[in-house]
Amino acid sequence: MIGLDTNVVVAWLVQGQRRIVLPSTQYRVSHVALLELEWVLSNKFGYPKDIVVAMLRRLVAVSNIELDRPEVVMAVLDDYELGGADFGDFLIARDNLAAGCTTTLTLDAKAARKTGFTLARS
């Protein structure tokens, strides 16, 4: 298995498979790389959220790419598509839930209304 850096995944998604040649093997994309990927696609390339979600779903569907907790990634994409928090916030909350946490404390009142969050009292 070979890990993929965010820049390789961006090039593959944006430029297409013909421009980026990946040997036929298994690859791994970490949650950190996914977080960076969403940021780059949204902020650097300016893609709207629906296109970013579609690109990330396309990545999830690739048979030779392994993601950390793919069920978490799918839940994050569902949450992010509906809105109410940033991709990173949903990734943190869903990853914590999958790890057995009962909630994720946040100071973000908007995110606190979403699954997996509780507003921390200051």
Side-chain angles (χ1 to χ4, degrees):
M1 185 175 310
I2 297 171
L4 296 178
D5 190 13
T6 306
N7 54 23
V8 172
V9 180
V10 168
W12 184 80
L13 283 172
V14 173
Q15 297 174 356
Q17 296 175 8
R18 284 175 256 155
R19 300 224 357 148
I20 303 297
V21 178
L22 297 174
S24 182
T25 189
Q26 286 296 116
Y27 297 98
R28 178 181 179 271
V29 177
S30 70
H31 283 176
V32 173
L34 282 177
L35 182 60
E36 286 185 345
L37 178 60
E38 183 276 331
W39 187 90
V40 169
L41 294 173
S42 296
N43 295 288
K44 176 92 172 163
F45 287 93
Y47 290 120
K49 182 167 57 172
D50 61 324
I51 299 298
V52 172
V53 169
M55 293 173 94
L56 294 175
R57 287 190 192 283
R58 182 174 145 214
L59 181 67
V60 170
V62 176
S63 63
N64 66 328
I65 293 181
E66 180 180 306
L67 302 170
D68 294 333
R69 296 181 174 161
E71 71 286 353
V72 167
V73 175
M74 292 305 294
V76 168
L77 290 173
D78 291 343
D79 292 342
Y80 182 56
E81 197 167 32
L82 294 173
D86 294 330
F87 181 84
D89 294 327
F90 285 126
L91 183 59
I92 291 166
R94 289 292 183 171
D95 196 46
N96 284 341
L97 289 172
C101 298
T102 57
T103 193
T104 296
L105 289 178
T106 184
L107 293 172
D108 183 339
K110 188 176 175 184
R113 294 190 297 262
K114 299 299 177 178
T115 300
F117 289 104
T118 300
L119 188 62
R121 307 285 179 218
S122 54

